[in-house]
Amino acid sequence: MEMQKEEAKMLQWHPAFFAEIQIELQEDAEHLIFENEHQLGTKPKEIDVLIIKKDKGRVIRKNIGRIFRQHNIVEYKSPLDYLSIDDFYKVYGYTCFYKSDTSQMDSIPIEELTITLVTGKYPRKLIHHLKTKLRYQVKKAESGIYYVTGDKIPIQIIVTKELTEAENLWLKSLTNELEQNETAEKLLEEFKRVLGIEVGETTPDGKFSLDCLRCVGACGLAPVVIIGEKVYGRLQSVDVKKIIEDLE
């Protein structure tokens, strides 16, 4: 139990999500701006949601971004957390605050906002609340993606566990239950493609190396990297440089 708690502390779910959603949307990356933390107002007021800004008129082809407009608020709940009713109101409140926190009146039109809620498990209580209390309609657009209509702001709920590997390999693999060899092999192929190297090789700049081990006793945390005696679960390529710098 203590080991599981330590492993959970070591995992940095939000940085991993920030990295993987950029990979998912890389086809349209030149038309998007990602803000991991948004500063509200002149005083230190940060909201722990992701802001994705899109070029006006640009249509996003990727399934998770089809509802995107110019300003898109994204809330992510880790596999260890749950998307609650109050989480919905918190994010909705953040969205309204984000709209109003500008120097010019109505510079962010309500028509240019969207909300995306990302969670590992189907949020049954929240969806029941949306349907019965707010009279919203919740429709399954495709595997793992639910559109919520009835509000002026378009809303979608993404359930990563229900996403398909063919369409959303990175987000689906953002889990603490990654146990299938087939999924791990697909992730390895994607790492090879993104880094441009094969297993056993190092990138020309020397920043990244790619090696495989048969077993490190942490299947539920895959993919993992071992440095010394530390096991880093769910490591992303963008995390490698910082980890090395911290060890120097």
Side-chain angles (χ1 to χ4, degrees), residues 75 77 81-85 87-88 117-119 123 126 157:
E75 167 75 351
K77 307 300 286 187
D81 208 345
Y82 182 77
L83 183 64
S84 70
I85 294 171
D87 287 328
F88 169 79
L117 304 168
V118 184
T119 180
L126 171 59
I157 298 173

Side-chain angles (χ1 to χ4, degrees), residues 93-109:
Y94 281 165
T95 304
C96 294
F97 199 177
Y98 173 81
K99 183 209 178 311
S100 64
D101 190 50
T102 57
S103 58
Q104 296 181 341
M105 183 178 295
D106 203 30
S107 62
I108 300 178

Side-chain angles (χ1 to χ4, degrees), residues 195 197 202-209 241:
L195 295 174
I197 59 176
T202 300
T203 54
D205 57 12
K207 291 182 179 179
F208 303 103
S209 295
K241 184 178 179 181

Side-chain angles (χ1 to χ4, degrees), residues 154-173:
I155 302 169
Q156 68 174 343
I157 298 173
I158 297 176
V159 181
T160 57
K161 195 172 185 179
E162 297 179 6
L163 294 171
T164 66
E165 293 179 5
E167 191 68 33
N168 304 105
L169 175 62
W170 287 92
L171 286 183
K172 183 175 179 63
S173 300

Side-chain angles (χ1 to χ4, degrees), residues 100 129 154 214:
S100 64
H129 179 86
R214 287 182 177 274

Side-chain angles (χ1 to χ4, degrees), residues 38-53:
H38 182 76
Q39 189 78 34
L40 292 174
T42 55
K43 296 181 179 180
K45 291 176 289 184
E46 289 183 349
I47 57 176
D48 60 348
V49 294
L50 168 66
I51 308 292
I52 301 178
K53 297 178 182 178

